Amino acid sequence: MNQDHQDDMNPNSMAETSSANPNLEGDPSSFNPQEVQSIEPEVIVETSNFPSANWSESGGEVADEAQDGEIQTESAAIAQANSALAAQLEDVNGQYRRLAADFENFRKRSQKEKEELEERIKGAALQKLLPVVDSFERARSHIKPDSEGEMAIHKSYQGVYKQMVDCLKQAGVSVMRPEGELFDPNLHEAVMREPTDQYPEGTVIEELVRGYIMGDRVLRHAMVKVAAPPEDSTDSGPSASDSESSPED
């Protein structure tokens, strides 16, 4: 009889079997074959000797390396995208700066052109009033009132003349004072030249028609008389004529 059969006959093993299944004890009529079939043997498998453990560890390392590679690829793609966005942002900022500079130049140029246009329009309007001012000045210099009525009329239009001159001053118009100055073609218009030794050559002797300026703009050139060098006063003697000698006989 072998060892397995002895174990089966061992009362201790039978007792353990009886304690594991209480239905085996007592009345044999209470024995249920289905309960015996439901008892599954406990199987203990040692997995330490299988090579699958080492395979799982190496597979995990490969998976980690693959994951690290994917992360590096994604990081490189993100860095490249950031570089592209930074370059695009710099380009947009450059366009904005150039546009802002162009707009600022356009604003300054438009403002300057507007101011120049306003000066030209104002100057053209004031130029039409200058002959009226000349008429008032000629009337003041030529009319000599004798009676009280004439004096009242004289004071009346002289008051209008003064009011007009004040309006011209407020508009920035000023009168030229060219007497004694050197002739300047930008300001003066020479209509006469007078030889004299009392003034240096090219000096304005007299103002014939008054000139006006508005800021740096000439509204009307002053018509002036300019000094010229004096003429030579040495009298030249009569020219010698060829003497005719009578032929001797």
Side-chain angles (χ1 to χ4, degrees):
M1 185 178 296
N2 54 16
Q3 184 66 29
D4 295 336
H5 183 69
Q6 291 179 357
D7 292 336
D8 293 336
M9 297 299 294
N10 192 353
N12 294 328
S13 60
M14 294 178 64
E16 292 176 359
T17 302
S18 300
S19 62
N21 191 355
N23 293 326
L24 295 178
E25 297 179 356
D27 189 5
S29 60
S30 62
F31 174 74
N32 189 358
Q34 294 180 355
E35 292 181 358
V36 176
Q37 292 179 359
S38 63
I39 298 174
E40 296 180 356
E42 182 179 0
V43 180
I44 299 175
V45 180
E46 294 182 1
T47 60
S48 60
N49 296 327
F50 288 90
S52 60
N54 294 330
W55 177 84
S56 62
E57 293 178 0
S58 60
E61 293 177 357
V62 172
D64 292 340
E65 292 178 356
Q67 187 175 4
D68 292 340
E70 292 178 357
I71 293 175
Q72 293 178 358
T73 303
E74 292 178 357
S75 299
I78 293 173
Q80 185 177 2
N82 288 335
S83 300
L85 290 176
Q88 185 177 2
L89 179 61
E90 183 64 24
D91 187 20
V92 172
N93 288 335
Q95 293 179 2
Y96 171 76
R97 288 191 294 266
R98 288 190 295 271
L99 182 61
D102 293 340
F103 178 76
E104 182 66 19
N105 294 333
F106 170 76
R107 187 187 65 81
K108 292 181 180 178
R109 184 171 60 254
S110 299
Q111 183 66 24
K112 184 178 180 181
E113 292 176 354
K114 180 182 177 182
E115 293 176 356
E116 291 177 353
L117 180 60
E118 291 178 353
E119 291 293 326
R120 287 197 297 269
I121 294 174
K122 184 169 69 173
L126 293 175
Q127 283 178 350
K128 296 179 179 180
L129 296 177
L130 298 181
V132 180
V133 177
D134 296 339
S135 299
F136 274 104
E137 291 179 349
R138 284 192 296 267
R140 185 180 63 175
S141 62
H142 288 87
I143 296 177
K144 303 297 182 182
D146 295 332
S147 62
E148 293 182 358
E150 293 178 354
M151 182 60 69
I153 295 174
H154 179 73
K155 290 181 178 180
S156 177
Y157 74 76
Q158 286 301 317
V160 176
Y161 166 74
K162 185 178 181 300
Q163 185 178 3
M164 184 176 295
V165 171
D166 291 339
C167 292
L168 292 176
K169 289 181 179 179
Q170 291 177 2
V173 179
S174 59
V175 180
M176 295 183 186
R177 305 294 181 185
E179 291 89 349
E181 297 181 356
L182 290 176
F183 175 77
D184 186 355
N186 296 320
L187 302 175
H188 311 141
E189 181 179 353
V191 295
M192 293 181 64
R193 287 175 61 88
E194 181 178 339
T196 180
D197 56 357
Q198 297 180 358
Y199 297 95
E201 181 182 1
T203 304
V204 176
I205 300 174
E206 183 182 357
E207 182 186 41
L208 303 177
V209 178
R210 181 165 293 180
Y212 295 90
I213 58 176
M214 184 180 66
D216 297 334
R217 178 184 175 86
V218 177
L219 292 180
R220 188 175 70 184
H221 290 75
M223 296 183 182
V224 296
K225 182 191 296 185
V226 184
E231 296 178 355
D232 294 336
S233 60
T234 58
D235 296 330
S236 59
S239 60
S241 59
D242 293 339
S243 62
E244 295 180 357
S245 61
S246 59
E248 294 179 356
D249 294 338

